[in-house]
């Protein structure tokens, strides 16, 4: 006869049996039985105490994005669960696998406004892939098995298990649940051969094909398939922001980043292409600009595992409902070997102009009064780490400069909040990334606004000795909003100037080494000192507040209607 154990121990054993090695969380009244079992540490599941539940879920996101595994967060009921909502929405938009476990009041008190009770399931349904309230101990193991399967299959996303106190303290026999069958949930749609053949035909007949690589490339492990295809067929590759690092920056077919602050070449040539192959991306409005002006001459092929993305933003000519790697592997033997030299070189012409007219100034780092420019700082830091660091960003100008001026040698090297654009994401996500990938350097680029939204997570760095290098691009402004106010709101800087603390002293209060860099003449040595330091480090860099991110496609413009600076549109020859 099998021994009965408490639901809380069933939970911990089920997590371990699903490959979980760490969880992020914050204890409270209605999750205490689970934390009591975490205390025993019998199953190798480490717990990392965040300072706020939002920090915990962003750390779980960073862990998941760096490793490809499912991140796990544990909180109590009521405010604990509600503080996860931003992270759940962020994970859903960016296809990040998360299992969030919240405590809940006892079944007899449900719906009676008990202390710290909230209707978790109703609250999280719009921002999760699946959510379930568990009321009996015997239902925990199958619920956890199903949660992990849903979270990290098909298009990944967040799942919530709301665990009533009765389930935690009740007893049942534990039996590990293998991968479940879920009726009506098709996580691996069958690739249609006739659609693959038609896609190959369109590509073979194209003179100016362009491949748009999204986050789905890395989610499906399709990096090699992507490189093999574009090398054989001579197809240039542009990446969405979250698709960056799916192909090395030095690859001869890589032509830059797409979108509002993307590179000139891929944006201009999107509207010159005759065939576009979009893989694992969702035609976000920041990538398309005005959809009425998008790719007017192109036949568009869309590969995605989530059929709800088809024709949502851009009407396409052919849909391949499939895992990205399966689709690219199937296409590879069917495409002709081509060079397409003239088409590829057309991107280089735009790249040279961007380098001369925009990037040269940024990379010089030189601004009035010794202040620095973000792009140059980013490039110096990434060069110092040999372009092999995991780059984590917060949201705003720091994000755009970081993604544009970083270069990547390895996959899964950029972690950023894409769809939701969550300020405060960066610091806890960098912590989670380092916990997930302890052998890789992790550098965080953040602004003074975003850092202060989750600055309490410096406590997690202090407690666990997490080696994250924090580069604070400090312009004493909410820089991205300031840029829009400057360009489109008559320079009325409403509530964007920041009165900031002494960040060096703040880091010191958490036992974190730090330095201020007030002048460009000190930058190289300061970066070298940060890199050489054994442990976490905060480098507070004095950034010119007038620095703005260009090129820029203003809202409402076509993707090829691009500002080179605040007054000049790019006019390609």
């Amino acid at each position: 006869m099998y021994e009965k154990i408490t639901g809380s121990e069933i939970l911990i054993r089920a997590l371990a049996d699903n490959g979980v090695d760490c969880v992020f969380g914050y204890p409270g009244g209605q999750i205490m039985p689970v934390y009591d079992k975490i205390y025993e540490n019998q199953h190798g599941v480490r717990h990392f105490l965040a300072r706020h539940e939002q920090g915990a879920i962003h750390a779980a996101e960073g862990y998941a994005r760096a490793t490809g595994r499912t991140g796990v967060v544990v909180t109590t009921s009521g405010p604990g669960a509600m503080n996860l909502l931003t992270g759940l929405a962020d994970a859903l938009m960016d296809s990040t696998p998360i299992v969030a476990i919240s405590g809940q009041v006892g079944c007899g008190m449900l719906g009676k406004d008990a202390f710290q009770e909230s209707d978790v399931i109703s609250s999280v349904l719009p921002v999760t892939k699946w959510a379930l309230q568990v009321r009996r101990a015997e239902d925990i193991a199958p619920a956890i098995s199903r949660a992990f399967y849903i979270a990290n299959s098909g298009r990944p996303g967040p799942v919530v298990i709301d665990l009533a106190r009765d389930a935690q303290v009740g007893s049942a026999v534990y039996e590990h649940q293998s991968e479940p069958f879920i009726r009506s949930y098709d996580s691996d749609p069958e690739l249609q051969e006739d659609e693959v053949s038609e896609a190959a035909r369109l590509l073979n007949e194209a003179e100016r094909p362009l491949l748009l690589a999204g986050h789905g490339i890395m989610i499906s492990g399709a990096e090699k398939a992507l490189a093999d295809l574009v090398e054989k067929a001579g197809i240039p590759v542009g990446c969405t922001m979250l698709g960056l690092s799916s192909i090395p920056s030095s690859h001869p077919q890589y032509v830059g980043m797409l979108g509002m602050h993307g590179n000139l070449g891929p944006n201009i040539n999107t509207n010159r292409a005759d065939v576009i192959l979009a893989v694992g991306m969702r035609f976000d409005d920041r990538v398309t600009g005005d959809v009425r002006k998008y790719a007017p001459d192109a036949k568009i092929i869309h590969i995605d595992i989530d059929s709800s993305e088809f024709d949502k933003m851009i009407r396409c000519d052919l849909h391949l409902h499939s895992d990205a790697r399966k689709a690219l592997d199937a296409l590879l033997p069917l495409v002709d070997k081509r060079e397409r030299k003239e088409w590829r070189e057309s991107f280089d012409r735009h790249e040279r102009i961007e380098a001369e007219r925009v990037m040269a100034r940024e990379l010089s780092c030189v601004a009035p009064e010794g202040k620095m420019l973000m792009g140059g700082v980013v490039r110096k830091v990434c060069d110092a780490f040999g372009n092999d660091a995991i780059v984590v960003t917060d949201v705003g100008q720091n994000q755009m400069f970081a993604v544009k001026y970083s270069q990547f040698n390895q996959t899964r090297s950029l972690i950023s909040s894409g769809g939701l654009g969550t300020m405060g994401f960066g610091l806890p996500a960098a912590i989670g990334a380092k916990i997930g990938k302890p052998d890789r350097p992790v550098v965080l680029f953040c602004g003074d606004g975003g850092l202060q939204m989750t600055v309490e997570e410096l406590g997690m760095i202090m407690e666990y000795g997490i080696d994250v290098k924090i580069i604070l691009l400090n312009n004493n402004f909410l820089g991205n909003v300031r840029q829009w106010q400057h360009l489109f709101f008559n320079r009325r800087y409403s509530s964007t100037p920041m009165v900031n603390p002494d960040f060096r002293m703040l880091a010191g209060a958490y036992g974190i080494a730090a330095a201020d860099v007030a002048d460009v003449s000190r930058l190289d040595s300061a970066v070298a000192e940060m890199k050489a330091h054994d442990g976490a480090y905060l480098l507070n860099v004095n950034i010119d507040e007038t620095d703005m991110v260009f090129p820029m496609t203003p809202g409402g413009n076509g993707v090829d209607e691009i500002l080179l600076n605040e007054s000049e549109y790019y006019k390609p020859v």
Side-chain angles (χ1 to χ4, degrees):
M1 186 173 180
Y2 293 104
E3 177 189 3
K4 286 188 174 183
I5 57 177
T6 66
S8 296
E9 184 167 352
I10 288 174
L11 173 66
I12 303 303
R13 289 180 61 175
L15 291 176
D17 287 344
N18 278 280
V20 175
D21 60 0
C22 71
V23 300
F24 303 88
Y26 206 96
Q30 299 301 340
I31 198 70
M32 273 194 212
V34 169
Y35 271 84
D36 191 56
K37 290 302 175 183
I38 289 174
Y39 182 83
E40 294 176 0
N41 194 28
Q42 291 184 351
H43 302 288
V45 179
R46 299 173 296 161
H47 181 270
F48 290 90
L49 176 66
R51 271 42 180 181
H52 190 284
E53 290 89 354
Q54 184 177 344
I57 192 167
H58 289 329
E61 287 185 273
Y63 174 94
R65 295 269 291 276
T67 64
R69 300 168 66 187
T70 302
V72 181
V73 58
V74 181
T75 72
T76 194
S77 62
M82 294 299 101
N83 283 339
L84 298 180
L85 285 172
T86 299
L88 292 169
D90 191 275
L92 185 68
M93 290 194 75
D94 287 352
S95 305
T96 304
I98 296 292
V99 169
I101 299 161
S102 59
Q104 185 55 276
V105 300
C107 294
M109 297 303 293
L110 286 170
K112 297 181 179 178
D113 293 332
F115 178 67
Q116 290 194 333
E117 180 195 4
S118 60
D119 186 349
V120 171
I121 301 302
S122 296
S123 299
V124 304
L125 279 176
V127 291
T128 53
K129 213 178 157 184
W130 182 65
L132 178 71
Q133 186 175 85
V134 177
R135 301 184 181 188
R136 304 188 309 164
E138 54 262 44
D139 296 331
I140 291 176
I144 291 296
S145 177
R146 182 171 287 198
F148 275 86
Y149 177 59
I150 292 173
N152 211 354
S153 61
R155 180 178 178 176
V159 167
V160 168
I161 300 296
D162 190 41
L163 205 57
R165 190 176 185 88
D166 304 60
Q168 298 175 52
V169 300
S171 297
V173 173
Y174 173 65
E175 185 176 352
H176 175 55
Q177 305 287 310
S178 58
E179 186 174 288
F181 168 75
I182 303 173
R183 188 174 56 191
S184 80
Y185 176 57
D186 184 8
S187 65
D188 188 16
E190 184 177 352
L191 188 60
Q192 302 300 309
E193 291 184 11
D194 59 334
E195 294 174 348
V196 177
S197 298
E198 177 62 8
R201 183 188 69 80
L202 290 172
L203 290 170
N204 289 335
E205 293 178 358
E207 294 301 321
R208 300 181 308 281
L210 175 61
L211 192 148
L212 312 183
H215 190 197
I217 295 287
M218 286 176 284
I219 291 172
S220 66
E223 295 92 336
K224 184 178 185 302
L226 170 66
D228 288 346
L229 180 72
V230 300
E231 288 165 11
K232 180 181 179 183
I235 303 175
V237 183
C239 288
T240 67
M241 186 181 77
L242 294 189
L244 290 170
S245 81
S246 61
I247 191 166
S249 304
S250 59
H251 194 283
Q253 295 304 121
Y254 175 66
V255 294
M257 188 178 80
L258 304 155
M260 177 177 281
H261 289 296
N263 296 109
L264 291 177
N267 282 337
I268 292 293
N269 280 348
T270 289
N271 281 9
R272 308 294 183 269
D274 57 3
V275 171
I276 286 177
L277 176 59
V279 187
M281 54 88 74
R282 56 187 179 85
F283 289 107
D284 177 75
D285 59 288
R286 289 296 178 99
V287 167
T288 65
D290 185 345
V291 296
R292 296 168 299 179
K293 302 177 182 179
Y294 186 79
D297 301 325
K299 297 285 188 182
I300 300 178
I301 308 163
H302 192 182
I303 298 173
D304 207 288
I305 201 162
D306 182 358
S307 61
S308 72
E309 294 296 346
F310 294 148
D311 299 329
K312 186 170 79 175
M313 290 290 292
I314 298 294
R315 186 161 294 280
C316 298
D317 298 274
L318 181 63
H319 308 118
L320 275 66
H321 185 203
S322 171
D323 171 81
R325 183 169 61 180
K326 284 173 59 177
L328 294 180
D329 282 341
L331 272 173
L332 182 61
L334 302 181
V335 297
D336 296 337
K337 186 170 180 58
R338 296 277 296 277
E339 189 172 350
R340 295 186 169 99
K341 183 178 179 183
E342 184 177 347
W343 171 237
R344 175 62 184 83
E345 288 176 349
S346 71
F347 291 84
D348 295 338
R349 292 195 293 273
H350 301 301
E351 182 180 344
R352 286 193 295 270
I353 292 169
E354 184 175 350
E356 294 167 3
R357 299 289 307 280
V358 179
M359 298 183 72
R361 175 181 178 272
E362 279 294 326
L363 291 173
S364 74
C365 257
V366 177
E369 302 174 355
K371 294 180 180 179
M372 285 151 278
L373 301 175
M374 293 192 195
V377 175
V378 169
R379 182 62 60 85
K380 284 182 181 292
V381 171
C382 290
D383 285 349
F385 286 91
N387 300 320
D388 284 324
I390 295 176
V391 173
V392 184
T393 84
D394 206 82
V395 167
Q397 284 183 324
N398 65 88
Q399 176 187 39
M400 292 297 101
F401 277 113
V403 299
K404 282 178 63 65
Y405 287 84
S406 297
Q407 295 182 312
F408 306 103
N409 294 332
Q410 302 182 51
T411 188
R412 292 190 178 272
S413 290
L414 174 68
I415 298 173
S416 190
S417 174
L420 199 63
T422 306
M423 289 180 68
F425 172 87
L427 178 60
I431 292 167
K434 186 63 180 179
I435 290 169
K437 288 290 185 180
D439 296 332
R440 290 193 67 185
V442 173
V443 298
L444 165 65
F445 294 104
C446 57
D448 41 311
L451 178 63
Q452 291 181 82
M453 285 195 170
T454 52
V455 71
E456 75 283 346
E457 300 311 332
L458 292 175
M460 214 183 335
I461 290 178
M462 173 181 66
E463 181 168 353
Y464 301 106
I466 299 166
D467 183 4
V468 172
K469 310 302 186 191
I470 304 166
I471 300 88
L472 175 56
L473 301 172
N474 186 355
N475 57 11
N476 295 287
F477 262 94
L478 298 176
N480 210 41
V481 182
R482 181 196 182 280
Q483 176 166 338
W484 281 69
Q485 289 171 335
H486 183 94
L487 294 174
F488 310 117
F489 290 86
N490 299 315
R491 305 185 183 187
R492 292 160 62 89
Y493 305 127
S494 175
S495 300
T496 47
M498 299 281 287
V499 177
N500 286 323
D502 184 324
F503 287 105
R504 184 176 179 180
M505 291 184 66
L506 183 60
Y510 286 94
I512 297 169
D516 296 324
V517 186
D519 190 275
V520 68
S521 63
R522 262 275 296 144
L523 181 59
D524 287 339
S525 59
V527 170
E529 289 167 14
M530 176 187 69
K531 181 177 183 292
H533 180 76
D534 184 15
Y537 199 98
L538 187 148
L539 189 63
N540 178 35
V541 184
N542 185 22
I543 295 293
D544 177 22
E545 67 272 10
T546 67
D547 197 11
M548 291 193 281
V549 190
F550 291 106
M552 178 183 184
T553 302
N557 280 18
V559 70
D560 58 352
E561 298 171 334
I562 304 170
L563 281 168
L564 279 179
N565 51 55
E566 60 185 276
S567 60
E568 180 186 3
Y569 275 91
Y570 180 49
K571 297 180 176 60
V573 178

